[in-house]
Amino acid sequence: MPFARRHLFPLVAACAARLTAAGTGDPVLFPTVVVEATGHGQPAFAMPYSTTVLDARALDAASSRSLPIALETVPGVMVQKTSAAQGAPYIRGFTGFRTLLLVDGIRLNHAAFREGPNQYWGTVDPLALARLELVRGPASVTYGSDAIGGTVNAVTTAPDLAAASGTEWRASHRFASADRSHTTRLEARGVTRDRAGAHVGYSHRRLEDLRAGRATGSQPRTGFEETALDGSAVWQVGSGTRLVALAQDFRQNDAWRTHSTIYGSRWRGTSPGSDLERSLDQERRLFALQLHSDRPAPGIDRLTASVSHQRQGEEQFRLRNDGRREFTGFDLATPGAFVRLHGTAPLGRWIGGAEFYRDRVDSHSRRFRADGSLQQIDIQGPVADDARYDLGGVFFETRPPRLGPVEFTAGARLNHATAEARRVRDPLTGAATRIDGRWRSVVGSLRALAPLDAAHRQNVFAGISQAFRAPNLSDLTRFDIAEGGQIETPAPGLEPERFVTTEAGWRAQGPRGSASIAAFHTAIRNQIIRTPTGARVDGLAEVTKRNSGAGRVQGVEAAAFARVRTAWAIAASIAWMHGDLDHYPSAAATLLQRAPLSRVMPLTAHGSVRWAPAAGAGWVELAASAASRQKRLAPADRVDTERIPAGGTPGYAVAHLRAGWRATPWLTLQAAIENLGDTDYRIHGS
């Protein structure tokens, strides 16, 4: 699905005057907002991490179709797209369950997350967000398992009790000609006497088949439909204490994995699959109650506590080329809770906390013959049936008084995970078996930040951080199709993956611009990777998981923003990465083999020139993105001929023209022509 064509995106929004202003969306590197994703709640410029914040204005201006796409111009991020509905970001070389997504601090990652890019990040509606916070690199001390390549905290829209009492309404509509898509968003929010407020929003998207570049034409079976409902309420229950309730409901229907069917596009030698249909429905529901309190006790400056219940489900339909049908899926329920405390002591500021999540999974698989009669009800679906997965941990992080100009941050975490899968299909006998596991990990982090001038307009930072990922139910029990038409089977006995990242960077900001550069190196040990067994199961080549990966990924990210005169702004970023992995090429192999890390982003750059007069009602932007050819392919990449050409993914360069106009205090119009050259291109791995 990665092809793009020239298309028009007019956006018409009727909104309250305070919500939209002309010229918004400037790519400021360090907006003056507090970043909660690090746990400390500081402005991005003052943290010893590589961070990016996309606030509401930037998200509105981008008008992204999905949450992953909202991140596609962030340095160090490559957004893979299996289809218009299914995509995931690669952050510093990692994706899927090696990156962590939070919704208001609540884990979205669950025990059924599968290897590689997956569709679950797409269940968070970007139109319902106040901002996106991205911390690149490990955050395992604060958030535990999965926080390896990066952590994204999606902060949802909530009523502002400091606003004047009353009600606001907002409506927007987005049309795109390339896929004839329509996206409608309706919102209402109100505040009563500074004591209570509520917000509710509804989004609906419908996409038809994408018309790609001039050489490819229409891509059939790429349309889908989705709806999202979100709401929140805030009560001021005391001085400095707020109670927040939030709810989300997301549903996506009939989203095809087109590349694995006969409708997939042939491009530069790729080979579509043989299925007649492979479509997916998914849904997610979240309910949470959170308490935010300032100075709840002596020595404690802030307390955040949360209880939540999240439910995620998917249903996949597969029609083989011989007429056989399969219905597979799972239903996952996750109660969870966390508490975080911020305090000040004689030895410095500190933060500590604990969390616990329990995934309960039921899965199913039913197979039918070509004549429609039931052939088999399987023991499990894509992951184990009647399974449970617990994940919990405690952490403590401190910032002692400065040592000269240097501020240090040190922390540690104890994490515990258990898996209990009662119904797992044995790939050899076909009988039901059971898999259990228990893992414990301790990780630490040490970071430092120092200003380079008295005005604190420049600083340098450096750090070393450990990270880990405990095997989840997908690693241990998956029985489903893998890349390249292979089949993945259960793998008991796995151990946690372990990573160590070193990083150093410089950043600067001033009244007319900002800049940053960071270099990182991540050492990989015990990575769980798919390994061929040489056997065949259900007529497909079998792969299973092993802790056989050891290697590294390293890179450099740089970005700059400058305001030239009053009306003109220029932004640019570039990222380079290189990764290798030593692994066993087969289950019988005894010698390690060196190979490239899978789907490492090629040299990639983004840039834009924006005209937005300070007193004007409109803005115009010319933006461009370019990537070099990626010919370093991992063994899994070479097998994945449905998506990756044999010689690698060609480089590309595309340009976009966007404009906006605030017609009245209540009406803003935006339009864009994407891919001005009508170019066929693919993002690597898409």
Side-chain angles (χ1 to χ4, degrees):
M1 152 65 215
F3 302 109
R5 175 190 170 89
R6 177 173 17 183
H7 43 281
L8 186 66
F9 289 146
L11 173 67
V12 181
C15 57
R18 61 179 297 272
L19 296 180
T20 305
T24 61
D26 282 348
V28 179
L29 296 186
F30 310 111
T32 54
V33 297
V34 170
V35 181
E36 297 290 348
T38 61
H40 283 279
Q42 284 187 300
F45 188 80
M47 294 188 301
Y49 303 88
S50 292
T51 61
T52 297
V53 179
L54 301 176
D55 59 17
R57 292 180 174 182
L59 292 172
D60 279 347
S63 187
S64 301
R65 186 179 63 241
S66 67
L67 185 148
I69 293 176
L71 300 168
E72 64 182 353
T73 60
V74 173
V77 178
M78 179 182 75
V79 178
Q80 184 272 2
K81 303 170 189 175
T82 296
S83 73
Q86 301 155 352
Y90 276 77
I91 306 173
R92 289 191 170 179
F94 298 102
T95 191
F97 48 38
R98 297 185 184 98
T99 57
L100 178 63
L101 177 59
L102 310 169
V103 178
D104 288 338
I106 301 165
R107 289 177 65 99
L108 183 134
N109 290 37
H110 54 70
F113 258 49
R114 54 185 173 81
E115 174 79 9
N118 55 58
Q119 68 272 20
Y120 306 116
W121 283 49
T123 63
V124 178
D125 181 11
L127 300 178
L129 301 181
R131 66 181 185 272
L132 278 175
E133 305 170 346
L134 166 62
V135 177
R136 292 185 288 280
S140 282
V141 166
T142 308
Y143 294 111
S145 185
D146 304 359
I148 299 160
T151 298
V152 173
N153 186 30
V155 181
T156 61
T157 301
D160 181 6
L161 297 187
S165 297
T167 303
E168 285 183 348
W169 299 85
R170 184 180 185 186
S172 66
H173 186 79
R174 174 186 184 272
F175 169 75
S177 62
D179 51 18
R180 293 179 294 281
S181 63
H182 292 269
T183 299
T184 300
R185 173 71 176 173
L186 303 173
E187 287 183 281
R189 68 184 72 177
V191 175
T192 303
R193 296 180 182 177
D194 301 332
R195 301 294 300 176
H199 167 270
V200 64
Y202 171 80
S203 300
H204 178 267
R205 293 180 181 86
R206 184 178 182 86
L207 286 76
E208 298 184 20
D209 293 343
L210 175 68
R211 290 178 293 159
R214 67 173 70 91
T216 302
S218 179
Q219 293 184 271
R221 308 300 195 274
T222 53
F224 66 95
E225 185 175 13
E226 65 185 29
T227 59
L229 181 65
D230 57 276
S232 61
V234 180
W235 296 273
Q236 192 77 35
V237 295
S239 178
T241 301
R242 294 176 295 117
L243 192 63
V244 181
L246 63 95
Q248 297 178 354
D249 185 286
F250 177 92
R251 299 170 186 269
Q252 187 180 83
N253 299 316
D254 202 27
W256 281 50
R257 295 177 63 85
T258 313
H259 69 280
S260 66
T261 74
I262 60 174
Y263 301 102
S265 299
R266 296 184 181 273
W267 187 72
R268 305 291 181 95
T270 58
S271 302
S274 60
D275 289 343
L276 301 181
E277 181 177 346
R278 192 175 172 197
S279 59
L280 189 75
D281 298 338
Q282 63 172 336
E283 62 180 30
R284 182 180 67 88
R285 295 190 187 97
L286 171 65
F287 301 94
L289 190 65
Q290 298 186 333
L291 179 69
H292 303 266
S293 182
D294 297 330
R295 299 194 177 278
I300 299 178
D301 299 328
R302 183 154 54 99
L303 177 148
T304 302
S306 172
V307 293
S308 61
H309 188 276
Q310 192 162 211
R311 182 174 179 178
Q312 299 192 46
E314 69 173 44
E315 183 78 27
Q316 182 171 251
F317 171 68
R318 182 186 182 194
L319 175 60
R320 295 174 182 257
N321 59 2
D322 60 4
R324 289 181 294 160
R325 293 169 169 81
E326 298 175 7
F327 293 89
T328 61
F330 66 80
D331 187 80
L332 185 148
T334 307
F338 70 78
V339 60
R340 296 192 182 100
L341 302 171
H342 301 246
T344 304
L347 295 181
R349 293 170 295 161
W350 59 269
I351 175 176
E355 65 179 4
F356 179 79
Y357 294 89
R358 168 167 288 178
D359 293 331
R360 294 187 178 275
V361 184
D362 293 314
S363 70
H364 62 271
S365 174
R366 302 185 304 277
R367 306 186 193 189
F368 295 84
R369 300 181 182 89
D371 62 5
S373 61
L374 178 65
Q375 178 184 356
Q376 184 176 341
I377 298 178
D378 289 326
I379 293 168
Q380 66 169 87
V383 295
D385 184 34
D386 192 13
R388 190 188 75 188
Y389 189 87
D390 293 343
L391 187 64
V394 294
F395 76 97
F396 183 82
E397 195 168 76
T398 182
R399 291 187 172 182
R402 291 179 181 270
L403 183 61
V406 183
E407 181 181 67
F408 289 95
T409 302
R413 180 186 183 94
L414 171 64
N415 211 78
H416 185 75
T418 61
E420 184 180 318
R422 296 184 179 92
R423 289 180 54 81
V424 182
R425 178 184 169 189
D426 188 305
L428 296 178
T429 66
T433 186
R434 179 186 177 115
I435 292 178
D436 296 301
R438 186 181 299 268
W439 307 273
R440 182 172 294 173
S441 296
V442 177
V443 294
S445 175
L446 177 63
R447 292 180 174 269
L449 180 141
L452 295 181
D453 62 334
H456 292 262
R457 290 186 175 180
Q458 295 186 63
N459 63 45
V460 292
F461 63 93
I464 180 168
S465 301
Q466 295 176 309
F468 78 102
R469 188 182 72 84
N472 68 4
L473 291 176
S474 182
D475 295 310
L476 298 164
T477 71
R478 193 161 194 89
F479 210 119
D480 198 14
I481 295 174
E483 293 171 345
Q486 300 170 323
I487 187 167
E488 182 180 337
T489 58
L494 297 174
E495 295 297 325
E497 302 175 334
R498 301 189 181 275
F499 308 82
V500 177
T501 295
T502 53
E503 178 182 15
W506 165 88
R507 58 171 72 102
Q509 66 176 355
R512 302 191 68 84
S514 53
S516 69
I517 185 169
F520 70 92
H521 178 279
T522 298
I524 304 168
R525 182 164 62 91
N526 268 14
Q527 182 162 315
I528 299 171
I529 60 175
R530 290 169 174 154
T531 305
T533 66
R536 299 190 71 83
V537 177
D538 292 344
L540 300 174
E542 182 189 30
V543 293
T544 192
K545 294 286 187 66
R546 295 181 66 182
N547 285 105
S548 58
R552 66 210 57 84
V553 59
Q554 56 199 8
V556 179
E557 307 152 352
F561 168 78
R563 188 171 296 283
V564 183
R565 299 181 182 274
T566 303
W568 292 90
I570 301 173
S573 67
I574 190 168
W576 169 86
M577 289 185 204
H578 186 278
D580 292 295
L581 198 67
D582 298 331
H583 68 286
Y584 293 101
S586 70
T590 57
L591 296 176
L592 288 169
Q593 176 177 302
R594 171 69 60 87
L597 190 67
S598 179
R599 298 184 187 176
V600 172
M601 72 179 293
L603 179 67
T604 302
H606 305 283
S608 66
V609 177
R610 187 182 185 91
W611 175 80
W619 56 269
V620 179
E621 179 183 76
L622 178 65
S625 297
S628 65
R629 178 186 176 191
Q630 181 54 283
K631 59 182 180 180
R632 300 189 76 247
L633 302 181
D637 299 337
R638 298 183 187 277
V639 171
D640 191 12
T641 57
E642 294 175 354
R643 286 180 280 200
I644 300 176
T649 304
Y652 63 86
V654 293
H656 321 293
L657 182 63
R658 306 182 179 104
W661 176 49
R662 186 173 179 181
T664 74
W666 301 277
L667 178 65
T668 298
L669 305 175
Q670 290 182 198
I673 302 176
E674 304 282 350
N675 193 0
L676 289 169
D678 203 16
T679 304
D680 275 334
Y681 70 96
R682 279 197 178 188
I683 297 171
H684 183 51
S686 295

